[in-house]
Amino acid sequence: MDLSDMQPDFMETEWQSRLAYDQWTAVPVSGSRPPARYKHAAVAVDEKLYVVGGSRNGRYLSDVQVFDLKSLVWSNLKLKPNADKFEETGSLDILPAISGHNVVNWGNKLFLIGGHSKKVADKITVLFIDLETHLCGVVETSGKVPVARGGHSATLVGSRVIVFGGEDKSRRLLNDVFVLDLETMTWDMAEGTQTPPAPRFDHTAAVHAERYLLIFGGCSHSIFFNNLHVLDLQTMEWSQPLLQGDLVTARAGHAGITIDENWYIVGGGDNKSGCPETLVLNMSKLVWSELTSVKQRDPLASEGLSVCSAIIDGEMYLVAFGGYNGKYSNEVFVMKPKPRDSSRPKIFQSPAAAAAAASVTAAYALTKAEKLDFTKAEDPNSKGAENSSEKDVTNGVKAIREEKNVLELSLAEVRAENARIKGQIDEKNGTLSELSKELLSVQGQLGAERSRCFKLEAQISELHKMLESMQPIENEVQELRTQKSAFERNIELASAVQIQKQGSGGVWRWIAGGNGNA
């Protein structure tokens, strides 16, 4: 849907009512637009979208653009230097040009965390923007400050920001976890157990139930990921849960935002094509579903875009901006998400079933399912727990058996899949063995040809030497030929002279003979 055909008097008051659920709509803009960009940071506060920095044509940007979601007008936020930290040198020095950073809103401030900048630093930089005074400056942090990085994730959990992964200034990929306490501005490193995600950047992260950090997608320098990793922030244990629902393609540079139990994923790509679908992960049920899709070259099928949640007139909306899919974008899109069922599945209501699932999935290095029990345990002192009837017990046992059957079926499917994969591996190994034999044969033939070439080169070298030795002989022959030619010319001259002499003597003899006869 496009709102460009609306009358101006409707744009400011009734455009929200024209939106269909779960469909992206391009928002018309009154006045000028900001420069198109990607790998910026964005957040919505008080019906305004704040867009900070980004990259365009290889250049980092240092502006703060504000889009009023009520009037649909862009404006440029003029920053003021923090008197304690900056000199009056202009806004370009107040906010450095930056890309691949993160922004979180805490109180009346925006905190910019990390990112790539021309001003190379060894440690990660934290900047603040005061939304009331428009002051901007560097935040002095202490503790175990992480190395500078970009393409990481920064997730707000209460008064803490959890930073994961990214790429440092030397393009080294990271998979570490650091926590910044916004109240004390102190960094600490979080050591996790079990298998963490592979080092990556341009992924997304979300927090569920104030306890579980979810990491999805991203890429290394050669591989794009579509897996989901979960970090229990209480036990600091990594796991990789078994997911259900629609198949999700690998991607990086996508954007994500959570609303209640649902995590919305927009855009991304694999450097070849963009991802046109908008995904939703129910974080309690761990079920993926495709919400909607756009055309392949749509700005929403871009890498490096942003998505935020915004409350406008009491209703929740998703707001997307920017990105790159062969062309930089500066368009704003909105979606009104349809309210969804937030009920939790049985597997998370039954501790015994969760334990059974954990034993199955752990055997295949998937995860411990009981770590994803997002429900709150019942109060053991409550009267309802004391008065549980046999019927409840029977129903619970029945539910466990049903879940056990489901898990056994899943286990059988996993085993069948493993057997199929093993057969494919054996087939590939056989093919590899044959190719290895052919390679050895070709290498032998190549060695024989090289030996033959060496012999020919030796013979050619000998012939060159012989030719060089024959050069003096050729010179002598040429000299003899020259002498022969000169000798032949001398003979010819002598013969001609002799013939002339003989001709002259004959005339005189004829004259003398004639006189005698007289």
Side-chain angles (χ1 to χ4, degrees):
M1 179 180 178
D2 196 334
L3 300 178
S4 59
D5 56 347
M6 285 188 177
Q7 296 298 325
D9 55 339
F10 287 104
M11 288 172 55
E12 295 186 9
T13 58
E14 298 183 8
W15 67 268
Q16 300 99 319
S17 63
R18 303 289 186 92
L19 299 179
Y21 281 119
D22 295 342
Q23 296 296 323
W24 287 107
T25 300
V27 177
V29 174
S30 300
S32 60
R33 297 172 182 262
R37 68 194 67 199
Y38 84 135
K39 291 192 176 182
H40 52 280
V43 64
V45 182
D46 296 334
E47 299 182 341
K48 293 182 179 180
L49 176 67
Y50 292 85
V51 176
V52 184
S55 178
R56 175 183 173 88
N57 296 327
R59 297 182 60 184
Y60 298 150
L61 304 177
S62 61
D63 56 345
V64 179
Q65 302 289 338
V66 184
F67 183 63
D68 192 313
L69 295 168
K70 295 282 289 183
S71 64
L72 308 182
V73 174
W74 282 101
S75 61
N76 186 18
L77 184 64
K78 301 297 183 181
L79 299 177
K80 302 175 183 178
N82 184 17
D84 296 334
K85 303 297 179 183
F86 287 94
E87 298 179 356
E88 298 286 347
T89 55
S91 61
L92 290 178
D93 294 326
I94 298 172
L95 179 66
I98 193 171
S99 174
H101 51 297
N102 282 264
V103 60
V104 296
N105 171 226
W106 194 64
N108 64 337
K109 291 184 175 65
L110 303 183
F111 289 98
L112 310 181
I113 301 173
H116 296 299
S117 175
K118 291 184 178 180
K119 296 182 179 179
V120 180
D122 294 330
K123 299 296 183 179
I124 197 167
T125 301
V126 179
L127 301 168
F128 80 90
I129 298 175
D130 191 309
L131 297 180
E132 295 180 355
T133 64
H134 298 174
L135 289 175
C136 177
V138 176
V139 178
E140 296 293 337
T141 60
S142 59
K144 298 179 180 179
V145 182
V147 66
R149 65 192 65 198
H152 53 289
S153 59
T155 310
L156 183 64
V157 185
S159 61
R160 299 180 301 165
V161 177
I162 303 175
V163 172
F164 170 79
E167 184 183 40
D168 69 8
K169 62 182 181 180
S170 301
R171 298 202 68 199
R172 179 172 62 98
L173 297 177
L174 307 168
N175 65 345
D176 48 5
V177 180
F178 284 86
V179 180
L180 174 63
D181 190 324
L182 295 178
E183 294 181 345
T184 63
M185 287 299 165
T186 303
W187 286 99
D188 194 12
M189 184 175 185
E191 296 285 353
T193 60
Q194 303 302 324
T195 304
R200 65 190 64 198
F201 69 107
D202 283 356
H203 54 277
T204 51
V207 66
H208 182 67
E210 297 292 315
R211 174 173 176 176
Y212 301 96
L213 178 70
L214 285 73
I215 305 294
F216 169 66
C219 64
S220 66
H221 292 145
S222 59
I223 301 174
F224 289 81
F225 302 107
N226 67 341
N227 47 25
L228 178 75
H229 294 263
V230 178
L231 176 63
D232 188 326
L233 297 176
Q234 292 186 8
T235 65
M236 295 308 298
E237 181 178 1
W238 283 105
S239 60
Q240 191 172 350
L242 183 64
L243 302 173
Q244 299 177 359
D246 294 336
L247 181 65
V248 176
T249 57
R251 68 194 65 202
H254 48 289
I257 191 68
T258 60
I259 299 177
D260 298 327
E261 303 283 326
N262 300 301
W263 190 13
Y264 295 84
I265 302 295
V266 185
D270 59 2
N271 285 341
K272 297 178 182 178
S273 60
C275 297
E277 65 274 9
T278 296
L279 303 171
V280 180
L281 174 68
N282 185 302
M283 294 183 288
S284 289
K285 298 179 180 179
L286 295 177
V287 176
W288 281 112
S289 59
E290 181 178 319
L291 185 62
T292 186
S293 185
V294 297
K295 296 180 180 180
Q296 189 66 45
R297 284 294 180 179
D298 193 274
L300 288 166
S302 297
E303 298 180 36
L305 77 169
S306 63
V307 63
C308 309
S309 61
I311 299 177
I312 307 173
D313 292 334
E315 285 196 82
M316 182 69 71
Y317 296 87
L318 301 184
V319 183
F321 172 77
Y324 177 80
N325 62 356
K327 179 181 179 182
Y328 294 97
S329 172
N330 62 354
E331 292 191 55
V332 180
F333 293 86
V334 295
M335 173 193 286
K336 181 163 63 174
K338 185 177 181 180
R340 282 170 171 75
D341 180 20
S342 61
S343 61
R344 297 177 176 84
K346 289 182 179 180
I347 193 169
F348 296 112
Q349 296 175 356
S350 170
S359 63
V360 173
T361 53
Y364 288 89
L366 296 175
T367 182
K368 291 184 176 179
E370 69 272 14
K371 293 301 180 182
L372 295 176
D373 186 356
F374 296 141
T375 61
K376 296 181 179 179
E378 294 181 353
D379 185 358
N381 297 324
S382 66
K383 293 182 179 180
E386 294 175 354
N387 298 327
S388 296
S389 63
E390 292 184 1
K391 184 178 179 180
D392 294 333
V393 175
T394 302
N395 291 336
V397 172
K398 184 178 179 181
I400 292 174
R401 287 175 177 171
E402 291 177 355
E403 291 159 2
K404 176 176 176 290
N405 292 334
V406 173
L407 292 174
E408 288 177 347
L409 290 175
S410 299
L411 178 59
E413 292 177 357
V414 171
R415 285 175 174 168
E417 181 68 13
N418 285 348
R420 185 184 66 82
I421 293 174
K422 184 177 182 300
Q424 292 179 349
I425 292 174
D426 292 340
E427 181 181 353
K428 297 297 182 183
N429 287 337
T431 304
L432 180 61
S433 177
E434 293 296 328
L435 291 175
S436 299
K437 292 179 181 179
E438 292 182 8
L439 178 61
L440 292 175
S441 175
V442 171
Q443 287 177 340
Q445 295 176 8
L446 181 60
E449 290 297 325
R450 284 177 177 172
S451 177
R452 182 168 172 269
C453 287
F454 290 151
K455 291 180 181 179
L456 289 175
E457 288 177 355
Q459 293 176 359
I460 292 172
S461 178
E462 291 295 329
L463 289 174
H464 277 301
K465 292 179 179 179
M466 292 176 62
L467 289 174
E468 291 175 357
S469 63
M470 291 178 65
Q471 187 63 39
I473 297 175
E474 289 182 358
N475 294 338
E476 292 180 3
V477 170
Q478 184 64 32
E479 185 177 355
L480 290 174
R481 286 175 179 171
T482 303
Q483 293 177 358
K484 177 184 175 185
S485 298
F487 181 72
E488 288 177 349
R489 287 196 298 272
N490 292 334
I491 291 175
E492 290 177 357
L493 291 173
S495 297
V497 171
Q498 186 65 29
I499 291 172
Q500 290 179 356
K501 289 181 178 181
Q502 290 177 354
S504 300
V507 172
W508 287 109
R509 282 195 302 272
W510 177 77
I511 295 173
N515 293 332
N517 292 330

Coordinates of all heavy atoms in Angstrom, one line a residue, residues 252-291:
A252 N 22.5 -11.7 6.8 CA 23.2 -10.8 7.6 C 22.8 -9.4 7.2 O 22.2 -9.2 6.1 CB 24.7 -10.9 7.4
G253 N 23.0 -8.4 8.1 CA 22.6 -7.1 7.8 C 21.1 -6.9 8.0 O 20.6 -5.8 7.5
H254 N 20.4 -7.8 8.6 CA 19.0 -7.7 8.8 C 18.7 -6.8 10.1 O 19.7 -6.5 10.8 CB 18.3 -9.0 9.0 CG 19.0 -10.0 9.9 ND1 20.3 -10.5 9.6 CD2 18.7 -10.4 11.1 CE1 20.7 -11.3 10.6 NE2 19.8 -11.2 11.6
A255 N 17.5 -6.5 10.4 CA 17.1 -5.8 11.5 C 16.0 -6.5 12.3 O 15.2 -7.3 11.7 CB 16.6 -4.4 11.1
G256 N 16.0 -6.3 13.6 CA 15.0 -7.0 14.4 C 14.5 -6.1 15.6 O 15.2 -5.2 16.1
I257 N 13.2 -6.4 16.0 CA 12.6 -5.7 17.1 C 11.6 -6.6 17.8 O 11.0 -7.4 17.1 CB 12.0 -4.4 16.7 CG1 11.6 -3.5 17.9 CG2 10.8 -4.7 15.8 CD1 12.8 -2.9 18.6
T258 N 11.5 -6.6 19.1 CA 10.6 -7.4 19.8 C 9.4 -6.7 20.3 O 9.5 -5.5 20.7 CB 11.3 -8.1 21.0 OG1 11.8 -7.0 21.9 CG2 12.5 -8.9 20.6
I259 N 8.2 -7.3 20.2 CA 7.0 -6.8 20.8 C 6.4 -8.0 21.5 O 6.0 -9.0 20.9 CB 6.0 -6.3 19.7 CG1 6.6 -5.1 19.0 CG2 4.7 -5.9 20.4 CD1 5.8 -4.6 17.9
D260 N 6.3 -7.9 22.9 CA 5.8 -9.0 23.7 C 6.6 -10.3 23.4 O 7.8 -10.3 23.5 CB 4.3 -9.2 23.5 CG 3.5 -8.0 23.8 OD1 3.9 -7.3 24.8 OD2 2.5 -7.7 23.2
E261 N 5.9 -11.4 23.0 CA 6.6 -12.7 22.8 C 7.2 -12.8 21.4 O 7.8 -13.8 21.1 CB 5.5 -13.8 23.0 CG 4.8 -13.8 24.3 CD 5.7 -14.4 25.4 OE1 6.5 -15.3 25.1 OE2 5.6 -13.9 26.6
N262 N 7.0 -11.8 20.6 CA 7.3 -11.9 19.2 C 8.5 -11.1 18.8 O 8.7 -9.9 19.2 CB 6.1 -11.5 18.3 CG 4.9 -12.4 18.6 OD1 5.0 -13.6 18.4 ND2 3.8 -11.8 19.0
W263 N 9.4 -11.7 18.0 CA 10.6 -11.1 17.5 C 10.5 -10.9 16.0 O 10.4 -11.9 15.3 CB 11.8 -11.9 17.8 CG 13.2 -11.2 17.6 CD1 13.4 -9.9 17.3 CD2 14.4 -11.8 17.6 NE1 14.7 -9.6 17.2 CE2 15.4 -10.8 17.3 CE3 14.9 -13.1 17.8 CZ2 16.8 -11.1 17.2 CZ3 16.3 -13.4 17.7 CH2 17.2 -12.4 17.4
Y264 N 10.4 -9.7 15.5 CA 10.2 -9.4 14.1 C 11.6 -9.2 13.4 O 12.4 -8.4 13.9 CB 9.3 -8.1 13.9 CG 7.9 -8.3 14.4 CD1 7.6 -8.1 15.8 CD2 6.9 -8.7 13.5 CE1 6.3 -8.3 16.2 CE2 5.6 -8.8 14.0 CZ 5.3 -8.6 15.3 OH 4.0 -8.8 15.8
I265 N 11.8 -9.9 12.3 CA 13.1 -9.8 11.6 C 12.7 -9.3 10.2 O 11.9 -9.9 9.5 CB 13.7 -11.2 11.5 CG1 14.0 -11.7 12.9 CG2 15.0 -11.1 10.7 CD1 15.0 -11.0 13.7
V266 N 13.5 -8.2 9.8 CA 13.2 -7.6 8.5 C 14.5 -7.5 7.7 O 15.5 -7.2 8.2 CB 12.6 -6.2 8.7 CG1 12.3 -5.5 7.4 CG2 11.4 -6.2 9.6
G267 N 14.4 -7.8 6.4 CA 15.5 -7.6 5.5 C 16.7 -8.5 5.7 O 16.6 -9.6 6.2
G268 N 17.8 -8.0 5.3 CA 19.1 -8.8 5.3 C 19.3 -9.3 4.0 O 18.6 -9.2 3.0
G269 N 20.5 -10.1 3.9 CA 20.8 -10.7 2.6 C 22.1 -11.4 2.7 O 22.7 -11.6 3.8
D270 N 22.6 -11.9 1.6 CA 23.9 -12.7 1.6 C 24.9 -12.1 0.6 O 25.7 -12.8 0.0 CB 23.6 -14.1 1.2 CG 22.9 -14.3 -0.1 OD1 22.7 -13.3 -0.8 OD2 22.5 -15.4 -0.5
N271 N 24.8 -10.8 0.3 CA 25.7 -10.1 -0.6 C 25.4 -10.4 -2.1 O 26.0 -9.8 -3.0 CB 27.2 -10.4 -0.4 CG 27.7 -9.7 0.8 OD1 27.2 -8.7 1.3 ND2 28.8 -10.2 1.4
K272 N 24.4 -11.3 -2.3 CA 24.0 -11.6 -3.7 C 22.6 -11.2 -3.9 O 22.3 -10.6 -5.0 CB 24.1 -13.1 -3.9 CG 25.5 -13.7 -3.9 CD 25.5 -15.2 -4.1 CE 27.0 -15.8 -4.0 NZ 27.0 -17.2 -4.2
S273 N 21.7 -11.4 -2.9 CA 20.3 -11.0 -3.0 C 19.8 -10.7 -1.6 O 20.3 -11.2 -0.6 CB 19.5 -12.1 -3.7 OG 19.5 -13.3 -2.9
G274 N 18.8 -9.8 -1.6 CA 18.2 -9.5 -0.3 C 17.1 -10.5 0.1 O 16.6 -11.3 -0.7
C275 N 16.8 -10.4 1.3 CA 15.7 -11.3 1.9 C 14.4 -10.5 1.9 O 14.2 -9.6 2.6 CB 16.1 -11.8 3.3 SG 17.6 -12.8 3.4
P276 N 13.4 -10.9 1.0 CA 12.2 -10.1 0.9 C 11.2 -10.4 2.0 O 10.2 -9.6 2.2 CB 11.6 -10.5 -0.4 CG 12.1 -11.9 -0.6 CD 13.5 -12.0 0.1
E277 N 11.3 -11.5 2.8 CA 10.3 -11.8 3.7 C 10.5 -11.1 5.1 O 11.7 -10.9 5.5 CB 10.2 -13.3 3.9 CG 11.5 -14.0 4.6 CD 12.6 -14.3 3.5 OE1 12.4 -13.9 2.4 OE2 13.5 -14.9 3.9
T278 N 9.4 -10.8 5.8 CA 9.5 -10.4 7.2 C 9.1 -11.6 8.0 O 8.0 -12.2 7.8 CB 8.5 -9.2 7.4 OG1 8.9 -8.1 6.6 CG2 8.5 -8.8 8.8
L279 N 10.0 -11.9 8.9 CA 9.8 -13.1 9.8 C 9.3 -12.7 11.2 O 9.6 -11.6 11.6 CB 11.1 -13.9 9.9 CG 11.7 -14.4 8.5 CD1 13.1 -14.9 8.8 CD2 10.8 -15.4 7.9
V280 N 8.7 -13.7 11.8 CA 8.3 -13.5 13.2 C 8.7 -14.8 14.0 O 8.3 -15.9 13.6 CB 6.8 -13.3 13.4 CG1 6.5 -13.1 14.9 CG2 6.4 -12.0 12.7
L281 N 9.5 -14.6 15.0 CA 9.8 -15.7 15.9 C 9.0 -15.6 17.2 O 9.2 -14.6 17.9 CB 11.3 -15.8 16.2 CG 11.7 -16.9 17.2 CD1 11.5 -18.3 16.7 CD2 13.2 -16.7 17.7
N282 N 8.2 -16.6 17.5 CA 7.5 -16.6 18.8 C 8.6 -17.1 19.8 O 9.0 -18.3 19.7 CB 6.3 -17.5 18.8 CG 5.6 -17.5 20.1 OD1 6.1 -17.8 21.2 ND2 4.3 -17.2 20.1
M283 N 9.1 -16.3 20.7 CA 10.2 -16.6 21.5 C 9.9 -17.6 22.6 O 10.8 -18.2 23.2 CB 10.8 -15.3 22.1 CG 11.4 -14.4 21.0 SD 12.2 -13.0 21.7 CE 10.8 -12.0 22.2
S284 N 8.6 -17.8 22.9 CA 8.2 -18.8 23.9 C 8.1 -20.2 23.3 O 8.5 -21.2 23.8 CB 6.9 -18.4 24.6 OG 7.2 -17.3 25.5
K285 N 7.4 -20.2 22.1 CA 7.1 -21.4 21.4 C 8.3 -21.8 20.5 O 8.3 -23.0 20.1 CB 5.9 -21.3 20.6 CG 4.6 -21.1 21.4 CD 3.4 -20.9 20.5 CE 2.1 -20.7 21.3 NZ 0.9 -20.5 20.4
L286 N 9.2 -20.9 20.2 CA 10.3 -21.1 19.3 C 9.9 -21.6 18.0 O 10.3 -22.6 17.4 CB 11.3 -22.2 20.0 CG 12.0 -21.7 21.2 CD1 12.9 -22.8 21.8 CD2 12.8 -20.5 21.0
V287 N 8.9 -20.9 17.4 CA 8.3 -21.2 16.1 C 8.5 -20.0 15.2 O 8.1 -18.9 15.5 CB 6.8 -21.5 16.3 CG1 6.2 -21.7 14.9 CG2 6.6 -22.7 17.1
W288 N 9.1 -20.3 14.0 CA 9.3 -19.3 13.0 C 8.1 -19.2 12.1 O 7.5 -20.3 11.8 CB 10.5 -19.6 12.1 CG 11.8 -19.2 12.6 CD1 12.8 -20.1 13.0 CD2 12.4 -17.9 12.8 NE1 13.9 -19.4 13.4 CE2 13.7 -18.1 13.3 CE3 11.9 -16.6 12.6 CZ2 14.5 -17.0 13.6 CZ3 12.7 -15.6 12.9 CH2 14.0 -15.7 13.4
S289 N 7.7 -18.0 11.7 CA 6.6 -17.9 10.7 C 6.9 -16.7 9.8 O 7.5 -15.7 10.2 CB 5.2 -17.7 11.3 OG 5.2 -16.6 12.2
E290 N 6.5 -16.8 8.5 CA 6.7 -15.7 7.6 C 5.5 -14.8 7.6 O 4.4 -15.3 7.3 CB 6.9 -16.2 6.2 CG 7.2 -15.1 5.1 CD 7.4 -15.7 3.7 OE1 8.2 -16.6 3.6 OE2 6.9 -15.1 2.8
L291 N 5.7 -13.6 8.0 CA 4.6 -12.7 8.2 C 4.1 -12.1 6.8 O 2.9 -12.1 6.5 CB 5.0 -11.5 9.1 CG 3.9 -10.5 9.5 CD1 2.8 -11.3 10.3 CD2 4.5 -9.4 10.4

